[in-house]
Each structure stands twice: as C-alpha cells, then as structure tokens.
Amino acid sequence: MLRICVSIGAMFMVLAQPADLKTTVMSCVGAHQREIVNELLQALAIPNVADDRPNIIRNAEHLRGLLARRGFAAELLETEGNPLVYGALTVPGATRTLLFYCHYDGQHVDPKAWKQPDPFTPVLRRGRMQDEPATIDPATVSTFDPEMRIYARSSSDDKAPIVALLTAIDALKASGSAPSSNVRVILDGEEEASSPSLVPAIARYKDRLRADLMVILDGPVHSSGRPTLVYGARGIATLDLTVFGPKSGVHSGNYGNWIPNPAMRLAALLASMKDDEGRVTVAGYYDAVAPLTAAERAMLDAVPEDSGRMLRAFGVAQPEAGFPRLQDALQYPTLNVRGLASSFVGAGARTIIPDRATAALDIRLVKETASADLIAKLRAHIEKQGYHLVTDAEMTEGSPDDRTRAAHAKLARLTLVDTTTAAFRTSAGDPQAKAAAAALTRTFGQPPVQLRTLGGTVPIAPFIETLGFPAVLVPTVNFDNNQHEENENLRLGTFFDSITVIAALLRM
C-alpha cells in the first residue's frame, strides 16, 4: 500500500514516491481533499465582481498570499484599473518558461435567481441542481464523492483553475519532484469586464510576462471528461440595438394599429438576421472564413461526438439545423441576442405602445473575422431593412431629436458597448503546443481531446501580438457548470482530475 502525503497547512510533504506522475498526483489529492476544497471555499467567499473595488483588492491580496506560500515571488502589478496578481517560480536548469493565465473576477449576480441566500457563500450539494440534491456541510466530509458540486459565483469560472494550479505545485513538491519549466502566473481582475486595463499593462510589464508558451486555464472540458487541449478561442464584440417608436409610450387602445410598435419592429428586424436553420443572413457575414484544411478537418472529426448527452443536459431537443455538429459551429462567427428589453412585463405590464425596444447583442469572432468588418455589415443590413441609424449628433436626452423623427419613418441606433476582444489561434504543429499535447498523452495514456477553437473568449490576442509566444487553452471544469449564469457550479470530480492535467503540463 502506498504511503504518500501528509499536510502542513496547505502544503504537502512526501513519505514515499509512487512510480508515475498520474498516480502521484491523484494519491496526494485523494489524501488531502478536505484541505484542497477548504482553500477553494475560502477563495470563493470573497465577492469578485470587477467594479467592486474593495473586494477585488481583497481577492488580489488573498491570491498573492497563496502564490507566496508556494514559493512564488508574488506581487500585485498596478494597472489603470484592477491589479494583476503576478507570481514567478524559477526552476534551476529549466529551459522553458510557462506563463499561466487565469482571471479572478467573476460575472455580476442576481441573488434572487440563485437557489441559495448568497452567491458568494459557497454551498456544497450532492449533485446537479435539477436532481434536487441535498446540501452538505463540507466540514463533515473528508473524502468527497466526485459527483458532489460546489455552487457559488466563480466556482468554475475562474477560481477553481487557480486553486488547481496551486495544488498541482503542492503535489509535485510532495512527490519530491518539481516543475520542469519556469512558471509564471498572471491573474486578471477584469476579464469579465473585457479586460480594459490589460493591453497597456502587457506593454508595461512585458519583461515579467515573457514565456515560451502561454497556458490559459479557462473553460469547460469536453463532455466526455477527458483531458482537453484547445488551440484557440473566439473573440467578442458586444452591441446594443435600439428601435425607436413614439417620443413616449402611448395608449395601446387609443393608438394601436396606427402608431408603429418598436418592439414588434425590433422582433422583425432580429428575425431578418437569421434564417430558419440558424445561419446569419447578413450579407457577407461568413465570407472571411476560409475552408478547413485536411488536417483541420481531421482534428474536428476526431473530437468525440457527444451531442445527445449535452442536449439532454441543456434541455434542448436538437441543435440549429444549419450547424448540427458543435465543432463545426465553433468555426464560424456568431450573432447572438443576449437580452431584450421594452417597457414592462409581469405584474408591472402596461397597455401601451412603448417608446423603444432594445436588444443586447454579442458577436463571437473567429480568427479570420475582424469586428469592424462584421459590425459594418450588420449596420448595412439594418439600413437595408429601411432603418435610419441615428448618430450622436441626432440624439437629444437619449432620444432622436424632432428633426430626425420627422425625416425618417424607421429609426434605430447601433452602439458598441465594450472594447472588442480579438480571437486567437495557435497552430497544432507549433513545437510548444506539440510538447503540451505530448505531456498529456504521456500522463494519461491517450491523446487529449484536441479542439481547434473554444467557443468562449479570453483576452489573449494582445499577449501574442506584443510578446510573440504561442498560447493554448487547457479547460478544467465540467461542461454543465452554468458559467455566467445563476447557480454556477463545479463538479468536484472534474476539479480533482484537473490537478493532474495541470501537473502534467508543469512536467512537460
């Protein structure tokens, strides 16, 4: 029987060393699950919305301390906004430097929609929310069932990967081993707010951030649960589209059928942007996307097909007919309605024709598409439907001025909400990317699931452009984690497995 690890605080000490990396790490994790989970719960208990400055600073200081405890030279790098948490671990004789990127901020919360009093007070449950799992006191558990889940904001996006990385460092030390590469860590405090301070910070701190390979710990693993390696991610542009009606809401009985309804017009305008199979009908929207090469097609075809399981998990009968395979869908830019607003609904609904209706849109970009080009094509499509797009000069107190209203029968306004983030993609043939894939193959006895691109967005293109190194993503959390939604959760079995995945990269 293997004797492995005892714990001193959050660190491990070795008693005997197993024969292989996977066994070593899994044994250490199994012996110290309570300490690992407690460290994660403590991190999750600090609210982390990017515009909550006092709590963001608490998060940054807490994480700096966790890095320092592992022997990192840790500091807070000041930016124009929230600080970056930075750590550097120098390994004697190492010829490669890995830069790990995570973010420590999270999405805003609507506490009323969560099935717990406070989204920032973690709750441990026996399984998925739809199965009405029992709540468990973590203090009563020493060995956690892999199906148990922690429910809290940022449990999966993106504090769990930070703790997994630190635990992988612990586990290597416990085995009498060490990373084979120098390790640098950068933790972003504004990722969910589009990282506006990151680009100038990259130029300012470029000497600290230089590396041979950047590893982004974010996103969900393949639904099979196998280790997953991703060579790129989409970018994003967010916009608001508003269609204007009367200067103020008017009585729907007195003026219905006579005054145009902006909510109905917006619905028709949005419907004109896609066909019944889910393809975008905006002229030229997909033109920049090049056909896949044979090698790229083979990569997509090699991804295990698990559509049925995912659809059941999401409660959807079938995908969009235009993109029946998820991996094919991810190779194209999207046009998504992320929210709608017009007057009131529910108990507050009024019998009026509203003055305006707004759709919040997002465009997920792929490497070949530029945000400015797709936004220009979207504007042209709106104008083709007979709308005049109102400029700043034509607005008065948030509404089109009288002259503009008199001159145009159909008025709309399209505004960019945040700074756009570009997509990135690294060649699967890049030597550092190949070394990462080989490390995972060696540790797990089979190649990882390899994805050409991730559906989500990470602000990595500026690193690549400024510092010139390749980047890959290594997802670490369950695919059904309610990322960005209410009741965000982390499956503990997936979390524990991710520690071995990260350890494999540290030893590549």
Side-chain angles (χ1 to χ4, degrees):
M1 189 170 183
L2 292 170
R3 296 174 299 124
I4 354 171
C5 309
V6 295
S7 175
I8 297 180
M11 301 295 291
F12 303 135
M13 291 182 61
V14 67
L15 294 182
Q17 184 176 345
D20 65 86
L21 178 67
K22 183 179 178 183
T23 302
T24 301
V25 176
M26 290 179 65
S27 298
C28 287
V29 169
H32 294 279
Q33 286 188 359
R34 178 179 287 183
E35 295 96 326
I36 297 166
V37 170
N38 282 345
E39 189 161 74
L40 178 56
L41 294 175
Q42 290 167 10
L44 292 172
I46 308 174
N48 64 331
V49 178
D51 56 13
D52 179 2
R53 179 74 177 183
N55 277 317
I56 281 292
I57 298 302
R58 285 180 61 205
N59 276 279
E61 291 287 2
H62 180 76
L63 294 169
R64 184 197 61 77
L66 294 183
L67 285 166
R69 194 183 307 167
R70 271 75 179 191
F72 283 82
E75 59 184 314
L76 302 187
L77 304 182
E78 294 303 321
T79 74
E80 297 172 2
N82 294 335
L84 298 167
V85 183
Y86 175 77
L89 186 67
T90 300
V91 177
T95 59
R96 175 191 288 115
T97 297
L98 300 179
L99 176 63
F100 286 88
Y101 170 94
C102 304
H103 63 91
Y104 66 90
D105 67 316
Q107 287 276 328
H108 283 83
V109 297
D110 177 7
K112 299 186 299 297
W114 284 68
K115 293 186 178 179
Q116 60 200 68
D118 177 13
F120 295 108
T121 299
V123 174
L124 179 66
R125 293 187 171 95
R126 289 202 177 276
R128 302 180 306 163
M129 189 67 74
Q130 56 265 45
D131 298 329
E132 300 183 356
T135 299
I136 310 163
D137 179 359
T140 65
V141 184
S142 57
T143 301
F144 293 81
D145 187 295
E147 296 304 325
M148 290 180 180
R149 299 190 182 211
I150 295 172
Y151 288 79
R153 175 55 86 220
S154 297
S155 55
S156 60
D157 186 20
D158 193 38
K159 286 185 176 178
I162 300 173
V163 175
L165 170 60
L166 299 177
T167 305
I169 297 285
D170 291 343
L172 290 179
K173 184 176 182 179
S175 69
S177 184
S180 59
S181 305
N182 296 315
V183 182
R184 296 178 177 179
V185 176
I186 193 77
L187 308 179
D188 185 358
E190 296 179 340
E191 197 268 356
E192 299 294 7
S194 300
S195 298
S197 307
L198 186 61
V199 173
I202 293 171
R204 180 178 175 183
Y205 297 112
K206 61 183 180 182
D207 289 340
R208 288 179 175 88
L209 301 174
R210 295 193 187 280
D212 297 291
L213 176 67
M214 188 174 200
V215 180
I216 305 104
L217 301 178
D218 201 345
V221 299
H222 185 265
S223 57
S224 65
R226 284 173 51 190
T228 305
L229 183 64
V230 189
Y231 297 100
R234 285 167 164 168
I236 193 170
T238 54
L239 308 102
D240 281 351
L241 172 60
T242 299
V243 172
F244 296 100
K247 294 170 71 172
S248 62
V250 299
H251 194 285
S252 63
N254 293 336
Y255 300 105
N257 294 339
W258 190 67
I259 294 291
N261 185 307
M264 294 293 292
R265 283 186 165 180
L266 176 62
L269 180 57
L270 294 172
S272 75
M273 297 177 184
K274 282 194 171 184
D275 62 21
D276 290 342
E277 295 193 334
R279 296 186 185 89
V280 177
T281 56
V282 173
Y285 203 78
Y286 300 132
D287 284 358
V289 181
L292 295 174
T293 66
E296 291 167 339
R297 182 72 262 169
M299 179 186 293
L300 266 60
D301 290 343
V303 176
E305 178 59 34
D306 197 16
S307 295
R309 182 184 178 200
M310 288 188 289
L311 291 172
R312 286 192 298 274
F314 298 136
V316 176
Q318 59 186 35
E320 296 275 30
F323 299 100
R325 295 183 60 194
L326 175 59
Q327 293 308 312
D328 289 334
L330 295 175
Q331 312 312 313
Y332 291 86
T334 68
L335 179 55
N336 178 59
V337 178
R338 61 190 182 123
L340 292 167
S342 184
S343 192
F344 302 94
V345 297
R350 306 172 188 175
T351 51
I352 62 169
I353 297 169
D355 68 314
R356 69 189 67 195
T358 298
L361 308 176
D362 65 65
I363 296 172
R364 295 286 179 166
L365 307 161
V366 295
K367 176 64 176 169
E368 296 79 12
T369 55
S371 61
D373 178 58
L374 293 189
I375 292 170
K377 287 172 177 173
L378 182 61
R379 292 178 67 87
H381 178 88
I382 295 168
E383 290 172 338
K384 188 176 179 181
Q385 311 311 306
Y387 284 88
H388 171 73
L389 286 168
V390 182
T391 65
D392 289 344
E394 296 169 326
M395 295 286 289
T396 301
E397 297 181 350
S399 185
D401 60 33
D402 289 344
R403 178 178 297 182
T404 303
R405 287 179 175 278
H408 304 282
K410 298 171 76 174
L411 297 172
R413 182 170 170 83
L414 186 67
T415 56
L416 187 66
V417 176
D418 288 314
T419 304
T420 62
T421 300
F424 86 92
R425 189 182 304 121
T426 295
S427 169
D430 177 272
Q432 298 294 340
K434 289 175 69 175
L440 294 174
T441 301
R442 190 164 54 246
T443 300
F444 291 93
Q446 62 176 327
V449 176
Q450 298 181 67
L451 307 180
R452 186 172 182 248
T453 189
L454 191 74
T457 299
V458 287
I460 300 308
F463 282 94
I464 295 171
E465 293 165 2
T466 303
L467 301 176
F469 49 54
V472 294
L473 293 107
V474 179
T476 63
V477 299
N478 44 296
F479 78 94
D480 56 347
N481 62 63
N482 274 30
Q483 191 174 350
H484 292 194
E485 256 291 359
E486 286 73 43
N487 305 310
E488 180 180 349
N489 65 86
L490 173 71
R491 180 182 176 273
L492 286 180
T494 308
F495 169 62
F496 292 139
D497 289 344
S498 75
I499 297 167
T500 305
V501 171
I502 296 170
L505 296 173
L506 291 168
R507 290 290 299 166
M508 62 186 269

